[in-house]
Amino acid sequence: MESTFIYPRDLVPKLRKLWHLRVPPPQDALLDTVPDALLVRLMEVAYHSTFRTEEERRTRFRLLYSPCNVVEASHAGVTTLFMQDRPFSEGEISQLAQAADPARVAIGVSTPDTDDHSLCIWGLVDSGSAWYDFTSGEANLRGDLEFRTSLPSFLTILATEPGSLSVTCGEFTVMTLCGGRLLEPLDILDQGTVFNLLKGAIEQTCVELSVLYDFPLSKVQNVELVYLQYLKKVLQRIRERGHGGTLLVVPDQWMSLDATLYGRLRIKYACIRARAREMLLESLILNYQYQQLNAAMCNQSLIALEDYREVAALLAQREQIDAALSDSVNFLAGLSGVDGAVVITDRFRLMGFGAMVTVPSTLKQVLIAYDIWGKACSPISVESYGARHGAAFRFCESCDEAVAFVASQDGGIKAVQKLGEDVLLWEDVDLSL
């Protein structure tokens, strides 16, 4: 709840604390033997590098802290080792950043063999599409939730905007520094008040699958996770586009209303598209059928040709529907490029885009929430935010059944919801899959 600015030197004790809270074993012990002085140097150089440009190009980069041989041992073939170590400096990072797309390549950093009290750049780490798939939502949705992204699980620092750093380990976001403020990602889409707004739609989907498609109740948990994964992927993709945007999620029953939603919005491009939800159901059903048939085949000493063909056909259908789901993620995220909000229902039916909030408001302040239930909060003036956030505040103030997600140009995702008489703002939504 601090209001003062935080600088890299102040981050080290917070990093250690959050690392143990957010990173699971055995990676939670990675920083135990790293001196504070090295972590301070790592954070300070990374921070100051974000303000540099190279031939008028912005410096965007990803640093990975680990010796080359350790990275290579766990991810064979991903490292490129320089013949000579390069100095760990702002100028070196700025130059290498132009050749190391942070969507797939990290700059490898560690202590040199001759001196364990300093840092050097030893080479590059090319993870292929793993980082891009994870951050942009390209990895396939799976009913069995097997996301095998092979993300390197080391201390990683991502910089996409001046003055902003995001510290991660594999798929776990530890903390984000943005505008001199420390943002701790909150998993409000997995539990809490925002999740509770979406819970009804998830339960309706479970009932529909069970009644209409004989989907087993033992697999209902998969429905919730795949549902939330799809929403996270849309938000990830909007964030990755880098221009900002707003996604409004409203109750599905509002589909029957006019495009103004009780006078709250003016949707420039009103439309109806329900294919995303249909594909999610189809993906879950196909995956269940595939698992059942594949398990039955594993218990057979001799597999019939017809069974083999059926399993292959189910797998092909599932991969096709997953590819279509990824396309729908890109489609929805692309709509955010038009001025105004994208409006969907809590069952992922598209209502339109280019939506402008028309409801008036006398709202003077919102509450920044520091926990998923909105119990620990501090007030902040609405004038501290721009027009995009202000529109989200006004919309949610007029309706406690909706939630707004705002993607800032600095790369963060915020969530807005009305709780009681207050409008709450979560400044950093955890989109970990």
Side-chain angles (χ1 to χ4, degrees):
M1 301 182 193
E2 299 174 0
S3 59
T4 56
F5 289 120
I6 295 177
Y7 294 100
R9 181 173 294 273
D10 307 318
L11 288 177
V12 172
K14 299 177 184 296
L15 172 60
R16 290 193 184 280
K17 177 182 177 181
L18 292 174
W19 187 274
H20 283 282
L21 289 174
R22 300 186 181 278
V23 179
Q27 286 78 17
D28 62 334
L30 282 178
L31 302 187
D32 291 353
T33 59
V34 182
D36 281 355
L38 285 184
L39 290 178
V40 169
R41 173 70 176 164
L42 188 66
M43 300 299 292
E44 287 187 335
V45 172
Y47 177 77
H48 291 295
S49 296
T50 66
F51 296 102
R52 295 181 68 101
T53 59
E54 185 72 19
E55 296 181 351
E56 299 184 356
R57 289 178 292 182
R58 187 177 64 190
T59 299
R60 302 172 67 250
F61 59 88
R62 191 186 299 268
L63 303 180
L64 186 148
Y65 177 77
S66 179
C68 178
N69 63 317
V70 176
V71 179
E72 185 67 21
S74 60
H75 295 77
V78 303
T79 61
T80 298
L81 180 64
F82 296 157
M83 296 296 290
Q84 287 187 325
D85 291 340
R86 303 297 302 175
F88 181 65
S89 64
E90 293 88 342
E92 201 73 32
I93 290 174
S94 180
Q95 291 185 45
L96 281 173
Q98 309 311 316
D101 180 359
R104 61 177 297 143
V105 180
I107 299 171
V109 181
S110 69
T111 56
D113 295 335
T114 57
D115 180 8
D116 59 0
H117 297 290
S118 62
L119 292 170
C120 68
I121 296 174
W122 52 257
L124 303 175
V125 182
D126 182 4
S127 70
S129 62
W131 274 312
Y132 178 79
D133 288 347
F134 178 74
T135 58
S136 68
E138 286 296 322
N140 287 338
L141 283 162
R142 289 281 186 255
D144 54 9
L145 306 175
E146 293 183 357
F147 282 80
R148 304 196 182 277
T149 57
S150 67
L151 285 166
S153 296
F154 302 98
L155 170 62
T156 307
I157 302 174
L158 174 65
T160 58
E161 294 287 336
S164 296
L165 298 174
S166 182
V167 180
T168 65
C169 179
E171 67 269 31
F172 300 98
T173 299
V174 179
M175 66 182 188
T176 298
L177 178 67
C178 181
R181 302 180 62 197
L182 179 64
L183 304 181
E184 300 178 24
L186 294 174
D187 56 349
I188 63 171
L189 291 179
D190 295 307
Q191 53 184 327
T193 63
V194 174
F195 169 77
N196 285 345
L197 277 182
L198 307 172
K199 191 174 181 180
I202 297 173
E203 292 174 345
Q204 291 173 3
T205 302
C206 292
V207 171
E208 185 174 339
L209 279 167
S210 178
V211 174
L212 299 181
Y213 303 101
D214 198 28
F215 194 81
L217 293 178
S218 61
K219 295 287 184 178
V220 162
Q221 183 70 10
N222 277 9
V223 180
E224 176 181 310
L225 293 176
V226 170
Y227 174 101
L228 295 173
Q229 282 182 352
Y230 183 83
L231 179 57
K232 288 179 180 181
K233 285 175 177 292
V234 172
L235 294 172
Q236 285 174 337
R237 195 55 167 159
I238 293 174
R239 177 181 64 184
E240 193 268 339
R241 291 174 65 87
H243 54 57
T246 302
L247 180 70
L248 303 179
V249 183
V250 302
D252 192 70
Q253 56 266 31
W254 285 15
M255 282 291 296
S256 61
L257 303 176
D258 65 86
T260 69
L261 301 184
Y262 291 122
R264 294 182 175 92
L265 294 175
R266 183 176 69 252
I267 303 179
K268 185 174 183 179
Y269 301 102
C271 53
I272 297 177
R273 178 184 171 94
R275 181 60 179 147
R277 180 176 175 279
E278 295 169 0
M279 289 190 294
L280 281 171
L281 294 179
E282 189 174 348
S283 177
L284 284 160
I285 294 165
L286 284 171
N287 188 62
Y288 172 67
Q289 293 173 343
Y290 167 78
Q291 287 182 329
Q292 291 295 104
L293 187 56
N294 191 52
M297 286 175 54
C298 290
N299 295 325
Q300 297 175 7
S301 57
L302 183 64
I303 300 175
L305 180 60
E306 293 78 8
D307 289 342
Y308 176 81
R309 286 174 174 170
E310 186 175 356
V311 166
L314 285 171
L315 181 59
Q317 291 177 49
R318 191 182 74 172
E319 290 179 346
Q320 183 178 20
I321 204 69
D322 281 344
L325 278 167
S326 288
D327 288 341
S328 74
V329 166
N330 291 333
F331 174 76
L332 273 181
L335 301 180
S336 67
V338 176
D339 287 343
V342 179
V343 186
I344 64 173
T345 75
D346 54 12
R347 301 183 82 179
F348 300 143
R349 305 180 203 267
L350 174 65
M351 298 184 66
F353 58 101
M356 300 297 177
V357 177
T358 57
V359 63
S361 172
T362 59
L363 189 67
K364 301 297 183 183
Q365 68 176 28
V366 296
L367 300 182
I368 296 179
Y370 299 98
D371 65 86
I372 61 175
W373 298 104
K375 294 181 179 178
C377 302
S378 65
I380 188 170
S381 170
V382 297
E383 296 182 355
S384 301
Y385 297 90
R388 182 180 288 125
H389 291 83
F393 298 154
R394 296 199 310 275
F395 181 78
C396 290
E397 182 193 21
S398 71
C399 176
D400 56 9
E401 299 176 89
V403 59
F405 297 97
V406 182
S408 304
Q409 289 185 343
D410 62 13
I413 293 288
K414 298 178 176 63
V416 183
Q417 178 194 6
K418 185 178 182 183
L419 191 62
E421 298 299 318
D422 299 312
V423 175
L424 271 59
L425 170 69
W426 287 267
E427 289 196 297
D428 195 15
V429 178
D430 188 354
L431 299 181
S432 300
L433 299 173

